[in-house]
């Protein structure tokens, strides 16, 4: 079927129809940026052809070179038959206005934290210049560290990951954005070896519980398992961050952490911590903010 398509098709419209049919037939899971077969197909084709990903209509009837058709058909086949996420096929992922290089060494960027940097944090960080140093724990592709540098132009950013593979991808993105002088990539496990203090610490750590990891759709199994699961209840990494963060935050420092669907479990584990749950496009239960002052007081009360 795919070989026949590669030898028969000539236009973007041909590829779009074929891709939608194959994706619907395969019953794909959409969780890496699109929500349905049509949007997934349009994004894959436009990205693969190096066309603007938000302008399909002008190119629908454009005639393609045979090599272009074959390359896109190959991607459609891998997406439908092997369930490979589109971002790994095109080596590109978007967060807002930022695009990043990605491959199987890192998670496909989808953190809610990027929505919260800058203006949404003004109640706690009144002016961007108040952030002189920031830390991105579990940086992966470096996408959040790069957006930190954008929103806080006076800040030096440390971006930490336990995976050397991930840091190699992050280095590509840091270089692409010309941030080699401001974003330092550090290979370590969480806070190990870190000596600085920060005005802002952010983290999108692993947070999928063991039961959910076992039930993930095939698309997610292409992602690094190390970056997904975090113990039986999914909170091992978050516990470590909360307990150690006071030593690495300045007196007026702020901690911002994504935890997925673990809000109830986290609040049960740390009943004395006054988490501020931040509003995102998907709701207000996925990312918490806490100041160093409140974190120190809450942990002290929890220890009594």
């Amino acid at each position: 079927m795919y070989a026949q398509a590669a030898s028969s098709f000539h236009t973007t419209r041909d590829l779009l129809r074929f891709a939608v049919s194959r994706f619907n037939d395969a019953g794909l899971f959409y969780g890496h940026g699109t929500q349905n077969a049509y949007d997934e197909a349009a994004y894959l084709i436009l990205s693969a052809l190096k066309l603007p990903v938000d302008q399909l209509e002008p190119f629908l009837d454009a005639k393609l070179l045979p090599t272009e058709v074959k390359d896109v058909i190959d991607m459609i086949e891998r997406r439908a038959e092997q369930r490979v996420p589109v971002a790994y096929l095109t080596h590109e992922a978007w967060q807002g206005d930022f695009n990043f290089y990605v491959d199987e060494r890192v998670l496909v960027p989808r953190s809610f934290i990027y929505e919260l940097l800058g203006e949404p944090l003004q109640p706690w960080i009144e002016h961007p210049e108040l952030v002189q140093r920031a830390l991105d724990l579990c940086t992966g592709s470096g996408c959040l560290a790069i957006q930190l540098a954008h929103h806080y132009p006076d800040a030096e950013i440390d971006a930490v990951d336990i995976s050397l593979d991930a840091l190699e991808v992050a280095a590509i993105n840091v270089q692409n954005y010309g941030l080699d002088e401001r974003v330092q990539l550090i290979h370590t496990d969480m806070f190990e070896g870190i000596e600085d203090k920060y005005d802002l610490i952010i983290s999108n750590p692993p947070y999928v519980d063991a039961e959910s990891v076992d039930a993930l759709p095939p698309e997610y199994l292409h992602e690094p398992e190390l970056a997904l699961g975090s113990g039986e209840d999914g909170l091992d990494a978050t516990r470590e961050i909360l307990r150690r963060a006071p030593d690495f935050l300045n007196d007026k420092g702020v901690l911002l952490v994504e935890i997925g669907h673990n809000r109830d479990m986290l609040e049960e584990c740390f009943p004395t911590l006054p988490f501020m749950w931040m509003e995102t496009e998907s709701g207000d239960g996925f990312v918490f903010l806490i100041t160093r002052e409140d974190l120190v007081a809450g942990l002290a009360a929890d220890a009594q």
Side-chain angles (χ1 to χ4, degrees):
M1 179 191 306
Y2 294 98
Q4 183 181 4
S7 63
S8 303
F9 292 165
H10 303 286
T11 68
T12 304
R13 190 185 299 274
D14 294 336
L15 294 173
L16 181 67
R17 197 285 307 163
F18 182 74
V20 173
S21 295
R22 298 287 69 73
F23 294 171
N24 282 330
D25 186 57
L28 301 183
F29 180 84
Y30 306 102
H32 291 101
T34 66
Q35 301 298 322
N36 55 71
Y38 178 87
D39 289 343
E40 186 95 337
Y43 175 77
L44 184 156
I45 293 165
L46 290 169
S47 182
L49 294 173
K50 309 302 180 186
L51 296 171
V53 294
D54 58 349
Q55 296 181 35
L56 175 62
E57 189 67 30
F59 304 105
L60 276 173
D61 295 309
K63 291 186 177 180
L64 306 176
L65 295 171
T67 53
E68 292 179 312
V69 172
K70 182 181 185 307
D71 288 345
V72 176
I73 291 293
D74 287 346
M75 291 186 184
I76 294 170
E77 181 176 11
R78 291 187 65 201
R79 181 68 186 98
E81 304 301 327
Q82 300 176 30
R83 308 289 287 267
V84 178
V86 168
Y88 292 158
L89 299 173
T90 62
H91 296 304
E92 180 181 64
W94 288 82
Q95 277 193 323
D97 295 329
F98 292 80
N99 71 311
F100 303 100
Y101 172 87
V102 295
D103 59 33
E104 289 86 346
R105 292 174 289 179
V106 295
L107 291 182
V108 177
R110 53 184 176 274
S111 173
F112 300 114
I113 288 177
Y114 89 92
E115 302 175 34
L116 303 172
L117 301 177
E119 185 176 344
L121 292 187
Q122 282 184 353
W124 300 272
I125 302 172
E126 187 174 1
H127 304 291
E129 57 266 25
L130 294 176
V131 179
Q132 295 292 311
R133 291 195 64 81
L135 173 64
D136 177 21
L137 286 174
C138 310
T139 193
S141 63
C143 57
L144 292 178
I146 288 165
Q147 290 170 90
L148 273 174
H150 169 77
H151 288 286
Y152 304 101
D154 293 333
E156 294 183 6
I157 316 295
D158 288 341
V160 168
D161 207 287
I162 194 173
S163 168
L164 276 173
D165 284 342
L167 291 175
E168 288 176 358
V169 175
I172 295 171
N173 287 313
V174 168
Q175 185 175 42
N176 286 346
Y177 277 91
L179 290 169
D180 303 75
E181 299 296 319
R182 293 184 53 209
V183 178
Q184 180 181 8
L185 302 176
I186 302 172
H187 179 228
T188 192
D189 185 2
M190 290 293 188
F191 295 103
E192 293 303 314
I194 301 296
E195 298 179 353
D196 290 307
K197 289 185 180 290
Y198 301 92
D199 304 303
L200 174 61
I201 297 176
I202 68 169
S203 185
N204 178 28
Y207 56 66
V208 183
D209 62 66
E211 182 179 354
S212 297
V213 168
D214 292 338
L216 286 172
E219 280 80 356
Y220 290 105
L221 301 182
H222 290 275
E223 297 186 293
E225 185 177 354
L226 181 67
L228 291 169
S230 188
E232 193 63 29
D233 64 1
L235 290 174
D236 284 2
T238 303
R239 288 189 188 90
E240 180 177 354
I241 292 169
L242 286 169
R243 289 171 178 151
R244 300 191 65 186
D247 294 334
F248 299 91
L249 283 166
N250 290 322
D251 290 342
K252 300 296 184 181
V254 172
L255 175 67
L256 191 68
V257 180
E258 181 168 332
I259 61 157
H261 295 279
N262 293 330
R263 175 174 177 172
D264 291 344
M265 179 67 69
L266 183 70
E267 291 181 327
E268 182 179 331
C269 292
F270 295 93
T272 61
L273 293 186
F275 297 111
M276 174 65 68
W277 294 97
M278 305 296 288
E279 184 69 39
T280 70
E281 289 185 1
S282 297
D284 63 358
F286 305 107
V287 180
F288 70 79
L289 178 149
I290 191 167
T291 65
R292 182 187 186 278
E293 183 179 9
D294 286 342
L295 182 55
V296 170
L299 290 176
D302 187 49
Q304 293 178 355

